[in-house]
Amino acid sequence: QVRLVEAGGGLVQAGGSLRLSCAASGRTFSGDAMGWFRQAPGKEREFVATIRRSGPSTTYADSVKGRFTISRDNALNTVYLQMNSLKPEDTAVYYCAARKNWRPSPYSGYDYWGQGTQVTVSS
């Protein structure tokens, strides 16, 4: 089973920046995409950004487009999320995810999930 471990969360003032990382370990596989999702207290988990293994092709939620950048290093089995101009509404637990098989949609079908890292943005 693939294990995903997130790092880089923390407390930051509005307008600040954080960089999240997600390292894959354990048994490897030829995957299709990796991405980031987030879940705020009392809210459903929502899509943030994804990146396919090859291409690369990226997709962003409208709420973060222009502020967040997703990237990956296939050699290091690591995906990153650079978050700039953070807003209080970005406060959530951020989860890394990986998808095993190809799907046309970047939003669904993820097979492996990390434990999450807390991002808190103060006003």
Side-chain angles (χ1 to χ4, degrees):
Q1 184 176 2
V2 175
R3 291 183 178 271
L4 305 176
V5 181
E6 302 97 334
L11 175 65
V12 65
Q13 190 176 16
S17 299
L18 285 173
R19 189 192 190 206
L20 306 183
S21 64
C22 172
S25 62
R27 298 172 67 178
T28 59
F29 67 100
S30 180
D32 169 59
M34 297 182 69
W36 291 94
F37 296 75
R38 67 187 183 186
Q39 187 170 21
K43 305 283 288 186
E44 296 293 319
R45 183 175 297 181
E46 66 175 353
F47 163 81
V48 176
T50 62
I51 183 168
R52 295 189 184 273
R53 180 177 180 86
S54 60
S57 178
T58 59
T59 305
Y60 296 93
D62 289 341
S63 59
V64 306
K65 191 174 297 183
R67 300 188 297 120
F68 291 9
T69 302
I70 188 171
S71 61
R72 67 184 297 168
D73 188 328
N74 290 334
L76 298 177
N77 293 317
T78 302
V79 64
Y80 306 93
L81 185 68
Q82 178 66 47
M83 305 185 295
N84 298 326
S85 301
L86 284 163
K87 305 174 181 179
E89 50 262 45
D90 294 318
T91 296
V93 176
Y94 284 70
Y95 296 92
C96 176
R99 190 166 69 187
K100 181 179 179 180
N101 298 313
W102 179 88
R103 295 174 65 92
S105 172
Y107 307 114
S108 63
Y110 288 83
D111 304 289
Y112 305 101
W113 296 84
Q115 292 181 289
T117 184
Q118 177 71 48
V119 172
T120 302
V121 184
S122 62
S123 60

